[in-house]
Amino acid sequence: MEMSQRNEGAHGTISTCGRLIAHTSNSKLRTSYAQQPATLLSHSSIRTAAKDVSALKWSSDSTDVAIVSNKLVEVQAVDRHAHPTQIENGSGSLGRFAAADFVGRQHLLTSWEFGRAKIWDLRTGKGTDLGDLKSTSDEPAWQQRPDSTSDISTIALLTRPAAEDTLTMHFPELSTSMQPLKLPTVDAQSMSWSPDGRWLAVLDTPTASPSVYFYTPDAHQYRSYPSAATQEADGGLGVKALTWSADSRVVALSRYDGTIVLLNTITFTPLAIIKHTIDIDQNNLPPHQQTPIWREAVSASNERSYTLANQPVSPPPSRTKPTTEPTELGVAEASFSSDGSYLATRDERMLSTVWIWNVATLAAHAVVMQHSNVRKAQWHPTRASLIMLDCGEGIAYLYDVATSSAPVAVNAPLPGSPTLSWVHTAAEAKLAVLAAARSSFWILYPEGAESISGDARAGVEVGGEEFQEGASEDSLLDILSGRKPAPPYVTEQSYTQIVELEMGEADEGADLAFDDTFREKRKVDTDVVDPLDDSQIF
């Protein structure tokens, strides 16, 4: 195992393409090569103080980064050809910025803490009001449809203008929306698209039945779960979370009673029901049919190893007394492997135990019992059978579920408890793990670092084009991010694009209405002028 040097910087975030990493340090946005974070590719000054940055978001083509804070959202181009775009919160009458994210390459969606949302065209600086999104749940109230073949993006918006939930499909490139659809939900909690973009699932409050509704991309209801034929009247809490398989063939519904219902995505009928047992006994099965149960052991010298547990065995409980809190009931986590062949789950009662299920056979494939509670179980994005367990100890536990080998603890001398996440690499490339702390980050190489001959800035040849020493850095950035040619507005603009957002206030006695769209200082539209529109671009 190898490890990079400590890199000073907060909010270390891997790009969409997996080859770049962005972080903030000393009021600068810095971008480097993910496999060699010490090799700085670009840096630019930002207005937001480091302590105020809440998140960094990459565009889908890995060419732009959005720096999000409570009062300001900045968009910086990695190649520094395009001038930065800045969206200010103005008087802050709508509250603080809650989130910002890219929609395609040319649009940015921002939302405020009280539900107000707007989508901005980064080419023209104009914004479109999206109304009041639901802000009563932790999940985002909007989701972009994952459709890479279409030039027209689709955004599903969950709103609650009165006492009823509504679903709206918005098309940013066309600046239009479908007529809002009234939902049959009591209090919708979240929604999610299937990876192939064919289905949109809306999750209702856990006390409602049906608990989940499935819609087509044109907002037509197709199915609900449980259906009238399988309606359960036990009065308990229903579905807690919903997870799609990567191939969109199966959807897993995690319930508060500790079970997981697997539905096929053709008729949305149950395939199987998964249950986590507090006692595991397979002594009545032949040895070759028994599911391996790996138990971690920690020696006095902090050496970690795994042994097969003798059965019967009971996974250690994660709490000592019963609870009625919904967040501490049922399934804690469920995630599919990158090819949909395996499902990893954890139960709130046994947070140190990870269950691996074979989706094809609908049976338990393996069980891993850790010494400490697991914080996150993450499948590798390209190696379908490899999973990493993060227990908050700075140790990456790697387990290849397709082999009969025990999990391996990749121990690194990291201070504190950094968060571990995969660096997106090809299946044939060596593994890389990002360990991000509050003000620094490292890259771990469980199989050794990739050997890159020569200077990372020279001798790179892709598609017949060679980047020569002393030439512009942008050629290397094109290669690393795989971006398309820059749109015309990037090269045509020669002035600094600053978008200043200020909130309009309604006159006394008038209906409360906010219009915070851009006002173009150089030229005003003569068609319709909103008297409350007081923002500007210059």
Side-chain angles (χ1 to χ4, degrees), residues 94 112 118 120 501-503 514-518 533 535:
L94 297 181
W112 287 263
K118 200 162 189 174
W120 310 92
L501 175 63
E502 297 179 357
M503 305 306 153
F514 296 99
D515 192 317
D516 49 10
T517 54
F518 287 93
D533 188 357
S535 54

Side-chain angles (χ1 to χ4, degrees), residues 262-305:
L262 300 182
L263 307 179
N264 72 72
T265 56
I266 299 176
T267 60
F268 290 99
T269 53
L271 293 171
I273 297 179
I274 294 175
K275 295 183 178 181
H276 301 102
T277 60
I278 58 175
D279 297 305
I280 304 175
D281 188 358
Q282 304 178 93
N283 287 322
N284 59 334
L285 297 176
H288 67 278
Q289 295 182 7
Q290 294 183 8
T291 298
I293 302 172
W294 297 102
R295 171 182 282 170
E296 182 190 16
V298 182
S299 66
S301 59
N302 205 30
E303 293 292 330
R304 298 169 186 271
S305 60

Side-chain angles (χ1 to χ4, degrees), residues 176-508:
T176 59
S177 299
M178 292 178 59
Q179 189 70 21
L181 171 70
K182 177 185 173 183
L183 296 177
T185 54
V186 177
D187 185 12
Q189 300 298 299
S190 65
M191 60 181 174
S192 62
W193 287 98
S194 61
D196 60 6
R198 294 182 58 192
W199 306 107
L200 176 69
V202 179
L203 180 62
D204 202 356
T205 183
T207 57
S209 186
S211 299
V212 185
Y213 296 87
F214 297 98
Y215 290 86
T216 59
D218 55 356
H220 285 283
Q221 183 180 334
Y222 179 71
R223 289 286 191 275
S224 62
Y225 180 85
S227 62
T230 60
Q231 192 107 3
E232 298 178 10
D234 56 5
L237 297 177
V239 179
K240 182 177 183 179
L242 179 147
T243 307
W244 298 92
S245 66
D247 55 8
S248 301
R249 298 178 61 184
V250 178
V251 59
L253 306 182
S254 305
R255 296 173 53 88
Y256 282 93
D257 61 2
T259 62
I260 299 176
V261 182
L262 300 182
L263 307 179
N264 72 72
T265 56
I266 299 176
T267 60
F268 290 99
T269 53
L271 293 171
I273 297 179
I274 294 175
K275 295 183 178 181
H276 301 102
T277 60
I278 58 175
D279 297 305
I280 304 175
D281 188 358
Q282 304 178 93
N283 287 322
N284 59 334
L285 297 176
H288 67 278
Q289 295 182 7
Q290 294 183 8
T291 298
I293 302 172
W294 297 102
R295 171 182 282 170
E296 182 190 16
V298 182
S299 66
S301 59
N302 205 30
E303 293 292 330
R304 298 169 186 271
S305 60
Y306 286 88
T307 57
L308 288 173
N310 296 322
Q311 300 186 40
V313 61
S314 298
S318 58
R319 55 174 180 258
T320 57
K321 59 181 180 180
T323 180
T324 58
E325 290 293 328
T327 56
E328 300 178 7
L329 296 175
V331 180
E333 182 181 12
S335 60
F336 284 95
S337 61
S338 60
D339 64 351
S341 298
Y342 301 97
L343 175 67
T345 64
R346 288 189 300 125
D347 192 291
E348 288 284 359
R349 300 169 299 173
M350 303 164 282
L351 290 177
S352 62
T353 302
V354 177
W355 303 70
I356 309 294
W357 308 88
N358 190 313
V359 177
T361 61
L362 300 176
H365 182 79
V367 179
V368 180
M369 295 189 298
Q370 292 293 119
H371 183 265
S372 302
N373 287 348
V374 177
R375 183 162 61 181
K376 187 73 174 176
Q378 304 174 61
W379 293 98
H380 192 273
T382 55
R383 297 192 191 182
S385 61
L386 184 62
I387 190 171
M388 176 175 62
L389 309 182
D390 179 9
C391 298
E393 303 166 323
I395 302 174
Y397 297 93
L398 306 183
Y399 180 36
D400 190 339
V401 301
T403 68
S404 57
S405 303
V408 177
V410 180
N411 200 341
L414 301 178
S417 56
T419 301
L420 305 180
S421 58
W422 288 113
V423 175
H424 193 292
T425 56
E428 64 276 5
K430 293 183 178 180
L431 300 175
V433 177
L434 170 65
R438 175 171 296 183
S439 59
S440 58
F441 65 92
W442 300 260
I443 302 295
L444 309 181
Y445 309 102
E447 300 172 339
E450 286 280 5
S451 58
I452 301 179
S453 59
D455 192 325
R457 297 172 180 263
V460 180
E461 184 176 355
V462 174
E465 297 182 2
E466 185 175 359
F467 179 82
Q468 298 293 342
E469 180 69 26
S472 169
E473 296 177 357
D474 305 326
S475 300
L476 179 58
L477 292 172
D478 292 348
I479 294 168
L480 294 179
S481 63
R483 69 184 179 93
K484 300 176 182 178
Y489 82 96
V490 172
T491 57
E492 290 174 1
Q493 287 182 325
S494 60
Y495 58 91
T496 302
Q497 180 185 2
I498 301 177
V499 178
E500 182 176 346
L501 175 63
E502 297 179 357
M503 305 306 153
E505 296 182 359
D507 293 334
E508 195 175 37

